[in-house]
Structure formats: C-alpha cells, structure tokens
Amino acid sequence: MSGAPSGALLVRVAALAVVVVFFQIGVVSEVPVFGVNADISPLLVAFVGLLCGSMLGAAGGFAVGLLVDLTLLQTLGLTSLVFTLIGYSCGRLRELRDPQAALTPLLVGASASAVSLVGYSLMEFMLGVDAPVSFELLRQIVLGVVVNTIVALPMWAIVRRSLEGALPEDPRRRRRRRAYTTGGLSPLSRS
C-alpha cells in the first residue's frame, strides 16, 4: 500500500475490530464446536492484512491483540505480539504475491489460526505459566485450526464487505487503467 490509509478505512477497521472482539467474547466463546471454541480475532487480523497491506495489518493486529488482552485480563502484550506478526505477514503476502486464488482465505485463515494458537501457547510456556503440556494441548491446537478454517470463509466475506468501499487501490490496476484511457501515449509526444 503506498501512502497513508484513508480516514474512512481506519474508522471501518476500528469499528470492525471492536465489534468482532466483543462478538468473540460474548457469543462465539460460548459455543464449543468439537470441544473447542472458534477464535475469529486472528482471522480478522489476517484478512485486514490481506486486504489492506502490511502496515495496516500490523497496526490492526496490535490494536486487536491489545483489546483482546484488556477485555480478557490476560498477560498484556502477548496477543498483541502474535497478532502483529500475523497482520504484517498477511499484508506482506498481499504486497509481494497478490494472491487471487479462491482457496486463499482458507489457507490464510488456517495458517493465521495455527500461528496464533502455537505462538500464544509457546509464549505462555516461556513466561512460566503453569499449564500442562500434553497431547491434550496438541489436540486443542489441531481442532482449533480445523474449526477456524471452517469459519474462515464467512469471516472473509464479512471483512471484505465491511471494508469494500474504503480499500486502497491496487497500483498495478491504476497503471493499466491509465495506459488504457490515454491510449498508451504520453501527452508530451503529441504534436
């Protein structure tokens, strides 16, 4: 993304982040599927990064992670760090590869969920939080990734629809359109 994001985009991302985090805490966390709860917060961060670029993805990841930590009274900053990495990585994927495949939301959602669950577990372990490391933790991580992958497509549609009018324009698309409308000739070459 070249330049600063528009004000409308920032307002939409902030409103979407607040709604998703409180919906996650109030509704989604109360409905277990296969013995685990879906976690839509890393999906939001990944899809904001995929749609808006690395800088807004990292900033959004930090903000969403901080909001999650504050509302759940967790260790402050752990979720922010993990979500910042997810948002930045997904934004760089957009900037370097610009993936257009139909399976992109599923793959990005699965990888963001895996990074979120494994990263948070490793950080809690390194900080010395007394949590049992066993096959139950591995089962929770695997089932969490599967459930979040199923939820990734509806979440992708929600995030894309919510940000659709304010998304930054692709510079390659702008170049192609400009060349088409001017006929590919420079105004200086006309005589």
Side-chain angles (χ1 to χ4, degrees):
M1 189 169 92
S2 62
S6 68
L9 180 62
L10 293 175
V11 168
R12 287 183 185 194
V13 169
L16 188 62
V18 169
V19 168
V20 165
V21 167
F22 285 114
F23 183 72
Q24 164 73 35
I25 292 169
V27 177
V28 176
S29 64
E30 301 298 323
V31 181
V33 179
F34 304 128
V36 297
N37 296 323
D39 191 8
I40 57 176
S41 301
L43 298 175
L44 169 69
V45 171
F47 295 147
V48 166
L50 195 61
L51 289 170
C52 301
S54 62
M55 295 309 291
L56 192 58
F62 180 79
V64 169
L66 190 61
L67 186 60
V68 167
D69 284 340
L70 287 172
T71 54
L72 294 178
L73 301 173
Q74 298 176 351
T75 306
L76 198 59
L78 288 184
T79 310
S80 297
L81 178 62
V82 173
F83 283 3
T84 300
L85 294 172
I86 291 171
Y88 181 78
S89 300
C90 292
R92 286 302 290 168
L93 176 68
R94 175 191 184 267
E95 292 166 357
L96 295 176
R97 300 282 182 220
D98 195 22
Q100 298 294 325
L103 292 177
T104 300
L106 288 175
L107 296 175
V108 168
S111 62
S113 299
V115 167
S116 172
L117 292 169
V118 171
Y120 190 78
S121 298
L122 283 176
M123 294 241 229
E124 286 284 332
F125 179 72
M126 287 191 294
L127 288 176
V129 174
D130 293 330
V133 179
S134 63
F135 285 113
E136 180 64 25
L137 177 64
L138 181 63
R139 185 186 79 79
Q140 291 284 328
I141 290 173
V142 170
L143 286 176
V145 169
V146 169
V147 169
N148 281 357
T149 304
I150 293 169
V151 176
L153 283 179
M155 192 65 193
W156 167 253
I158 290 169
V159 172
R160 192 182 49 173
R161 288 279 183 198
S162 299
L163 302 179
E164 196 168 296
L167 286 175
E169 189 175 357
D170 185 16
R172 288 176 288 193
R173 197 176 312 142
R174 187 173 52 233
R175 254 187 271 130
R176 273 187 249 134
R177 192 175 332 145
R178 189 178 321 126
Y180 177 74
T181 57
T182 61
L185 299 174
S186 170
L188 298 176
S189 65
R190 295 181 191 158
S191 23

